[in-house]
């Protein structure tokens, strides 16, 4: 394809037509940054498919889909990029054709190796890395590599009706559109308001800002054992708990900014509030829903997620993990009713759509350097329809 550059635009006519709506939304400069960005996406289950679709349609330069697992009979329930009859094929390879067809202008590649075997140099070819379906050790390792090499890092997962995202953008600079403040000239109007600044909704300006992020590992190093922290713990709503695996691991607590129930928005002044939330020592992230760490503990113990094929066996193990975890914390098991096991099996397609949409949106915002990012967790409860942004970790 012969590219015809628009006058001063820096993108081809074909690209201008393809991305016209989003250029109008976030501007040409943001689209040009996306156009120059390469992303690594690990894990091509239902959540991975949603993220891939959104990034490809947004117009990144290249997307590498990495997954060493095969398509299971359960995968097509939420993974819409996989064609019927693909069971047994590599998940990334089975997703390639439909993914590429979404936008031929994006260079979509497949990698079938295990992420655990990748050297540090492998990650340096990307501007952003997004992990799904990974263990705690892999997440911490890749997060450290990305931070060292100034690569934007994201991770997330979906378990049944619940999902989360996490971002570590290091020292991130971005621009935010603000409505201009116009001063009213004296003598134009009567009364004291004439000297006050007024917002002019017809004009906006771009304001440069910065945000600092902590790593997953750093989020685990905040001590919660003090009497003050324990007192705060008693006032914390159960939906904001992320329970520790066992007391054999270090329990941590991070401050969280105050917010109203069901509020979705960036948390501010994270270190200056008396509210708290328990962080998962086994996994190193936080959830708004109190039972998510049990599923991650299950993944560690069994090397897989709970399966509907072994519902009875897996339900019993989840309940046992629940009892062990809550007992280690000295918390009444009634905090987590036994029926929670009914809502955490498989990937729910609507939950994947919500969490995948949020995660892809945050990747686009980070790469384009446009608009405030979520700093640093987003939790979604599909049973309640609530999405919450939490800022967790050290100052």
């Amino acid at each position: 394809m012969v590219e015809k550059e628009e006058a001063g635009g820096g993108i081809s006519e074909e690209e201008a037509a393809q991305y016209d709506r989003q250029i109008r939304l976030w501007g040409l400069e943001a689209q040009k940054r996306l156009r120059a960005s390469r992303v690594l996406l690990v894990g091509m289950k239902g959540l991975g498919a949603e993220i891939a679709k959104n990034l490809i349609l947004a117009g990144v330069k290249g997307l590498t889909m990495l997954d060493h697992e095969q398509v299971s009979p359960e995968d097509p329930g939420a993974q819409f990029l996989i064609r019927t009859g693909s069971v047994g094929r590599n998940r990334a390879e089975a997703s390639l054709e439909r993914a590429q067809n979404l936008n031929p202008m994006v260079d979509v590649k497949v990698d079938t190796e295990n992420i655990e075997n990748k050297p540090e140099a492998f990650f340096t070819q990307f501007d952003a890395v997004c992990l799904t379906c990974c263990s705690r050790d892999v997440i911490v390792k890749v997060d450290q590599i990305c931070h060292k090499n100034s690569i934007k890092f994201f991770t997330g997962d979906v378990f049944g009706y619940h999902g989360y995202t996490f971002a570590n953008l290091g020292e991130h600079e971005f621009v935010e559109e603000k409505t201009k403040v116009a001063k009213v000239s004296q003598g134009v109007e009567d009364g004291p308001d004439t000297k006050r600044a007024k917002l002019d909704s017809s004009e906006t300006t771009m304001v440069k800002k910065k945000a600092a992020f902590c790593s997953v590992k750093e989020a685990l190093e905040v001590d919660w054992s003090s009497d003050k922290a324990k007192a705060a713990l008693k006032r914390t709503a159960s939906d904001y708990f992320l329970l520790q695996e066992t007391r054999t691991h270090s329990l941590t607590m991070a401050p969280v900014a105050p917010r109203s129930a069901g509020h979705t928005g960036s948390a501010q002044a994270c270190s200056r509030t008396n509210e708290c939330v328990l962080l998962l020592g086994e996994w190193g992230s936080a959830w708004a829903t109190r039972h998510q760490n049990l599923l991650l503990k299950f993944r560690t113990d069994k090397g897989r997620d709970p399966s509907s094929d072994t519902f009875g066996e897996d339900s019993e193990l989840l309940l046992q993990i629940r009892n062990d975890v809550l007992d280690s914390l000295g918390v009444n098991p009634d905090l987590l009713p036994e029926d929670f096991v009914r809502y955490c099996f498989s990937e729910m397609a609507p939950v994947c759509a919500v969490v995948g949409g949020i995660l892809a949106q945050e990747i686009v915002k980070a790469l384009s350097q446009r608009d405030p990012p979520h700093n640093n967790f987003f939790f979604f409860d599909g049973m309640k329809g609530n999405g919450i942004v939490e800022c967790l970790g050290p100052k």
Side-chain angles (χ1 to χ4, degrees):
M1 180 178 66
V2 178
E3 293 192 355
K4 299 179 180 178
E5 300 290 334
E6 286 189 334
I11 65 173
S12 68
E13 292 180 359
E14 290 82 0
E15 288 173 315
Q18 175 81 3
Y19 305 128
D20 176 69
R21 294 180 65 184
Q22 49 206 62
I23 290 174
R24 294 173 186 271
L25 176 64
W26 53 55
L28 180 60
E29 289 302 314
Q31 188 64 45
K32 287 166 67 176
R33 292 191 185 98
L34 280 178
R35 177 179 177 256
S37 300
R38 292 191 177 274
V39 181
L40 172 66
L41 173 60
V42 179
M44 288 306 298
K45 295 183 70 175
L47 178 59
E50 289 286 352
I51 298 168
K53 177 256 295 181
N54 292 325
L55 292 178
I56 292 170
L57 292 177
V60 296
K61 181 179 182 63
L63 177 70
T64 297
M65 303 182 299
L66 186 151
D67 197 324
H68 69 286
E69 298 284 356
Q70 295 180 336
V71 177
S72 70
E74 189 179 70
D75 286 337
Q79 222 284 26
F80 53 84
L81 295 178
I82 295 176
R83 292 187 178 277
T84 303
S86 297
V87 173
R89 291 185 62 194
N90 174 271
R91 273 201 300 241
E93 289 182 335
S95 305
L96 179 59
E97 182 182 357
R98 285 183 171 176
Q100 184 64 82
N101 288 342
L102 290 170
N103 188 352
M105 295 183 182
V106 176
D107 180 20
V108 183
K109 297 180 180 179
V110 162
D111 192 321
T112 60
E113 292 187 15
N114 192 325
I115 186 66
E116 297 182 14
N117 301 328
K118 292 295 188 181
E120 179 175 335
F122 169 75
F123 299 95
T124 60
Q125 63 185 299
F126 302 102
D127 301 286
V129 172
C130 180
L131 305 186
T132 69
C133 309
C134 291
S135 68
R136 181 261 183 189
D137 290 342
V138 170
I139 291 168
V140 170
K141 174 185 175 182
V142 176
D143 181 31
Q144 291 174 337
I145 291 174
C146 289
H147 183 78
K148 175 183 176 182
N149 293 280
S150 300
I151 301 167
K152 308 301 183 184
F153 175 82
F154 301 85
T155 187
D157 260 308
V158 166
F159 294 101
Y161 285 88
H162 303 280
Y164 82 100
T165 74
F166 168 82
N168 176 13
L169 308 183
E171 295 290 332
H172 180 62
E173 295 184 355
F174 62 95
V175 295
E176 183 178 10
E177 188 173 9
K178 292 286 188 179
T179 302
K180 280 188 175 182
V181 178
K183 290 186 178 180
V184 179
S185 302
Q186 290 186 353
V188 176
E189 297 181 12
D190 295 328
D193 288 343
T194 58
K195 296 183 180 180
R196 296 179 183 175
K198 292 188 176 182
L199 295 178
D200 183 357
S201 59
S202 63
E203 292 189 52
T204 60
T205 184
M206 304 306 294
V207 180
K208 292 185 178 180
K209 294 187 176 183
K210 292 183 179 181
F213 289 71
C214 73
S215 68
V216 168
K217 187 174 185 298
E218 287 176 320
L220 297 175
E221 296 176 350
V222 181
D223 181 30
W224 74 278
S225 60
S226 67
D227 291 339
K228 182 178 180 181
K230 290 179 180 179
L233 176 61
K234 295 178 182 178
R235 299 191 300 270
T236 304
S238 61
D239 273 357
Y240 305 141
F241 285 103
L242 176 63
L243 300 178
Q244 166 74 353
E245 177 183 340
T246 63
R247 283 196 182 277
T248 58
H249 297 276
S250 60
L251 279 170
T252 59
M253 185 180 77
V256 54
R259 71 255 176 255
S260 58
H263 171 69
T264 301
S266 297
Q268 303 294 328
C270 309
S271 60
R272 301 192 182 118
T273 175
N274 289 327
E275 289 191 74
C276 63
V277 68
L278 288 179
L279 292 182
L280 174 64
E282 165 63 24
W283 209 82
S285 66
W287 297 72
T289 52
R290 55 191 175 274
H291 53 272
Q292 290 301 323
N293 90 293
L294 304 181
L295 297 163
L296 296 165
K297 171 73 164 70
F298 183 101
R299 178 184 285 176
T300 300
D301 290 348
K302 302 288 287 186
R304 61 174 176 83
D305 294 335
S307 172
S308 56
D309 293 336
T310 52
F311 179 83
E313 174 189 340
D314 291 353
S315 296
E316 291 182 6
L317 179 56
L318 284 169
L319 288 173
Q320 183 60 51
I321 294 174
R322 178 201 70 156
N323 295 337
D324 292 344
V325 168
L326 296 184
D327 181 66
S328 73
L329 292 172
V331 177
N332 191 322
D334 291 340
L335 176 67
L336 184 59
E338 291 189 0
D339 65 353
F340 86 92
V341 297
R342 297 168 53 192
Y343 308 110
C344 58
F345 281 74
S346 304
E347 285 185 309
M348 301 292 292
V351 178
C352 288
V354 173
V355 178
I358 292 294
L359 191 42
Q361 167 191 277
E362 291 307 301
I363 296 174
V364 168
K365 285 159 62 177
L367 293 175
S368 65
Q369 299 178 346
R370 176 69 189 266
D371 296 331
H374 287 172
N375 189 354
N376 47 9
F377 290 92
F378 170 78
F379 309 110
F380 181 70
D381 184 342
M383 295 296 295
K384 298 179 179 180
N386 286 348
I388 298 174
V389 175
E390 298 279 17
C391 184
L392 306 173
K395 290 184 181 181

